[in-house]
Amino acid sequence: MKLPRGSLRKSRVVTDPRDVLADVLDRGLTGYAVFESQETLLLDAEGRGVVTFADGVPVLAYHTGTDRGGPPALADLAVPGPYHVSLYSLDAADLEPAHRADDLRVPPGMPAERVAGDPALADSTRRAAPSDRRDAVERDGSTDDAGDAQSAVEAFLDDTEKIEAIKDQARAEARERAAEWEF
């Protein structure tokens, strides 16, 4: 996914992606967020998650490390934090070509549900979505939240490399704690 360079609005480390998604919704940001997970920051893992927004509502998701878009990209991004997040604003006209990529689209509330684990924020995001996006999500069974949620979970479970990386990270953290506690 190619995006024009936007104007940096914020760059920080967050423990909970919910804070970022809520801030974007509150501000009505049009642009994109780049999420770098703890795996990327600490373990030299590859890839970043990119989520685009139109008036604060998520439109597209893409993961550079796995080259997957849409709900599977959210599954790739749904890993334990912290995250380094950079928010960029961009004119809607500059995002329009990217927003035509149907294979990268996500239902409005899915990032809040799948990445942040916040159903209330997901509901707020759905209410803020333009009626044509809400209606399209409800009409088209291939892009409803339930169907995409299942696809995101299946995509995550099918990614054995990612599961192994999470297990390895958990083992390393457990060894560190055991050493600290002299076990």
Side-chain angles (χ1 to χ4, degrees):
M1 174 171 67
K2 290 280 191 187
L3 292 173
R5 182 87 172 159
S7 298
L8 182 64
R9 294 295 173 217
K10 194 181 282 191
S11 181
R12 63 184 179 153
V13 174
V14 298
T15 56
D16 188 350
R18 183 218 177 279
D19 298 336
V20 174
L21 296 172
D23 185 42
V24 167
L25 183 61
D26 289 344
R27 291 173 183 254
L29 179 81
T30 296
Y32 58 96
V34 178
F35 292 84
E36 292 180 86
S37 71
Q38 172 178 298
E39 289 177 354
T40 303
L41 297 172
L42 300 177
L43 302 176
D44 293 328
E46 292 185 24
R48 295 175 175 95
V50 179
V51 179
T52 68
F53 302 90
D55 299 321
V57 177
V59 179
L60 303 178
Y62 179 74
H63 194 275
T64 63
T66 61
D67 195 32
R68 298 193 307 176
L74 294 177
D76 296 333
L77 185 56
V79 295
Y83 297 85
H84 179 265
V85 181
S86 299
L87 287 178
Y88 297 89
S89 64
L90 198 58
D91 290 334
D94 293 332
L95 277 172
E96 186 180 335
H99 283 176
R100 289 188 209 130
D102 289 336
D103 58 326
L104 303 179
R105 282 191 171 266
V106 293
M110 187 175 274
E113 287 176 335
R114 301 295 163 225
V115 179
D118 190 335
L121 179 59
D123 288 341
S124 297
T125 304
R126 281 186 205 98
R127 284 192 300 273
S131 61
D132 62 327
R133 292 227 23 236
R134 281 180 291 191
D135 292 344
V137 167
E138 292 170 3
R139 280 194 313 264
D140 181 1
S142 67
T143 60
D144 68 356
D145 282 350
D148 283 343
Q150 186 62 29
S151 298
V153 171
E154 288 173 347
F156 175 77
L157 292 175
D158 287 342
D159 191 345
T160 56
E161 253 182 55
K162 185 174 195 93
I163 291 171
E164 285 304 313
I166 291 170
K167 286 179 181 178
D168 291 344
Q169 180 181 351
R171 284 185 197 106
E173 289 174 5
R175 283 187 206 104
E176 280 182 33
R177 287 192 189 108
E180 286 174 13
W181 297 338
E182 298 177 358
F183 283 131

